[in-house]
Amino acid sequence: MKVVEFISYMWRSLRFSGAPQPSRRETFSADAPISRASDDLLGRGEFARALARVLYAHRGTESLVVALRGEWGSGKTSIKNLVVEVLSAPGQTEMRVVTFNPWHWGADEAITRAFFREISVALGDDGQSPSARRRAHEFRRYARILESLSGGLKNVGTHASSAAGWFAGVGFLVAGGVVWLDASVKRISTTVLVTAGVVLVLSKVVAFFGRDKEDSRPLDVARFDLEQQLKGMPQNILVVIDDIDRLEEEQIRTVIRHVKANASFPGITYLLLYQRAIVERAFGEGEEGKQFLEKIVQTAFDVPVVEGERVGKILLAELEKITASLPDGKFDQTRWGNMWVGGLRHFFRNLRDAKRYIGGVEVQITLHKGERVLETNIIDTIALEALRLFEPDVYDEISRSKALLVGPRLGNDRSDAEKEKLKAVIAKASPHRKEIVQYIVSQMFPRMIWAFGNTWYGNEWETTWSSERRICSRRYFDRYFALRLPDGRISDTEFLNFVDHLGDRASVETGFSDFRARGLLNELLARLDEAAQAKALPIEAAGELLPALFTIGESIPDEARFGEGAFVSAWRGAAWYLRIEEDPAKRSAAFLRALNSSTALAIPAILMSLDMDRKEHHEKDILLPGDLDQAKAIWVGRFRTALENDPESVIAGQHFLSFLYRWRDFESLDGPRAWVAAVAKQPELLSKLLVAFLQTGSSHVIGDYVSKTTLSLHFEAMLPLIDFPTFTNAVRDLSPELGTREDEARTRYLQAAERYAARTAEPASDLPDEDAAEPLDE
């Protein structure tokens, strides 16, 4: 118990900085029975009192043997403890109780010794009166006769005699079988023989002094003397024998035979606790074992059946206690009702099941609880723990099946083969619980609903599931199976703390810098994207968050493919965030304020371009209605100013090429062409411009374990911006240092220009005749 409490304490200390929760030590005592009536949650007190009256009242000429039968975990030991608590009413003679647990002793002989010893001790009394001592003495004498037990010293003598025989055998072998050996070996053989003789003599001596003082009385005389002593007892003693069903079959037979052999004595009442089927099977199959026990057990009671509704109420009350400190903002009452009534409640047969489960749930909640929120969905956490405890094979299969149950994009494969894979997860369940498990897993993973029906949940549900921290979300799935926050993830508590300070631009920018330094900027931007889509960010912070988003987006390369990546999360988050404001005029005003308060251009350019596309396609969902032309003018003016003030920095920027084409789209092609023509007259800027059009890629050959880095030039993209002959001559006149990127860019441009001239008959004289670029080994 202390170990479990220590582990729980350490988890709280390492994971949380808030105040520790009070210890619930009873939660982890899944196998610990109750010891007093005040702990009785199942209403078994009346049954225990009735049984106690029966046991106390018996004063016959023979022992009373009562059995309390029930499955493991049904509460046999708890009822026994309640019986013992009320066994002797105030003012009555105390009924002494001997609790004998044969499972603690192991071997048959140890069980036998312990059985007789415990009863003989109970037959005495605390003051060791002459009559009590006499009773105990007579019982011990009878036990020795009945079981023909030998003392420890006699065993020593027996083993010593055996050892002497071995010594003698070795001595004779050495002395008689290898007589041709030298004198030293003969001396060894003589020594062995003498040692054997000494051991043999000593063993006989030990056996003599250690022999039991055998009782010369016949067994019936010994029984009569013991019966007379037991009749003089003021009250029966109660011998409780627990955990009989945990023994091996031979040990079960040993215990029951001891009870049978002593069942005819007065003054002793036996209460046997066991699972009926197991003990009956130890004495034969079918009716044979049952009939054998009926000859020994005068009366048997079965543990009262506890209706599942009562166990369920107890379990739900415990869940309420351990989740009381959690915020309920993400708790879906309808979903929980479905999960409990349709599935979870069917797992709990008895209070032991409930206790084991509650202990596991508390560990999971302790593990995933942050300072402010539970880092997982409470309903999914509770359901998954039930599968882990009662259906471990299904749990293991789920933990290995992220791609199947969630998928890279929630899995778009709707084939029959995919359905069979999903059904195979449920096939791991116990046969009698397959339907229950199917329902629970379907509640956790909507793809399972499709496997057994026709309802399909598409990618558009990912944001909803993620906002609820569901296990079916790509973002949260791994968190349910990890002992810590997975690498590259931000805890919900930390994210909420960041969101709390969105109204302070300095705090936002500091937060971005901190997350970037920890390698978590991509994760933060993705979380902001999802939160904005779920409308979980305060629009009142637009004046601080939008400019900060624009600024951070400027430093992120647009390297995304197929809609993923940090830059995509940044501009998409900004778009979703603006849409939280439903008033179009206020939305446009918020965008213009952010554009004017930031020097960044990349994200604003994306948002304006998307609106231009929507207008071209006559869509109604315009982000910036009415103010788009004004925004474009501000953007172009900002870009022109940047090119005039610091052209080298602009050219080296992450988004320079896209800016050139946004300039064309927002104003006209004349501006970019005029600027490029001016750059062509400045050799240093021209070299840097060529480098900006270099593209780094990779190639992979089948059989290789590594890819190769390749360089190419966006020649076709340059053509609309240049006067080909004039620009080409300017490039040809460059003389960059050999081996530099400037040299590489010049060479590739001239190669491409020659091929273009040959194809179009454009003048491009005196160009070098070189092959296309070769891959560069990474």
Side-chain angles (χ1 to χ4, degrees), residues 339 342-344 346-347 383 386-388 390-395 397-398 422-445 448 452:
M339 185 74 80
L344 293 181
H346 299 289
F347 280 131
L387 294 177
R388 188 193 67 81
F390 300 110
E391 292 292 341
D393 290 340
V394 175
Y395 173 89
E397 194 68 19
I398 288 174
L422 288 165
K423 291 179 180 179
V425 175
I426 306 302
K428 299 287 184 179
S430 304
H432 65 287
R433 281 201 288 239
K434 272 192 169 58
E435 290 186 6
I436 297 171
V437 172
Q438 177 187 326
Y439 183 83
I440 293 173
V441 178
S442 296
Q443 288 291 310
M444 297 167 69
F445 297 99
M448 196 64 70
F452 289 92

Side-chain angles (χ1 to χ4, degrees), residues 13-124:
S13 299
L14 292 174
R15 183 118 180 118
F16 318 127
S17 60
Q21 295 299 314
S23 173
R24 300 181 65 259
R25 61 181 65 203
E26 74 277 5
T27 298
F28 298 100
S29 305
D31 288 326
I34 63 172
S35 57
R36 55 189 182 274
S38 59
D39 294 331
D40 179 27
L41 301 176
L42 299 179
R44 292 172 170 178
E46 189 59 39
F47 172 77
R49 286 189 288 272
L51 180 56
R53 286 193 292 269
V54 171
L55 298 174
Y56 185 88
H58 177 74
R59 288 292 291 172
T61 58
E62 294 186 347
S63 301
L64 172 66
V65 181
V66 177
L68 180 60
R69 306 179 303 194
E71 295 184 354
W72 288 346
S74 60
K76 299 186 295 294
T77 304
S78 294
I79 292 176
K80 179 265 295 182
N81 290 341
L82 296 179
V83 168
V84 171
E85 185 182 22
V86 299
L87 197 56
S88 302
Q92 294 181 329
T93 302
E94 179 186 3
M95 187 175 194
R96 305 196 67 182
V97 179
V98 178
T99 300
F100 175 61
N101 194 319
W103 191 52
H104 295 163
W105 298 98
D108 290 356
E109 183 178 342
I111 291 175
T112 298
R113 289 179 181 275
F115 178 83
F116 288 114
R117 181 176 65 250
E118 295 297 320
I119 295 179
S120 67
V121 170
L123 288 172

Side-chain angles (χ1 to χ4, degrees), residues 13 19 58 131 168 199 369 489 515 577 655 698:
S13 299
H58 177 74
S131 60
V199 172
K369 183 182 177 184
R489 296 294 187 186
F515 282 110
Y577 181 57
H655 305 277
S698 63

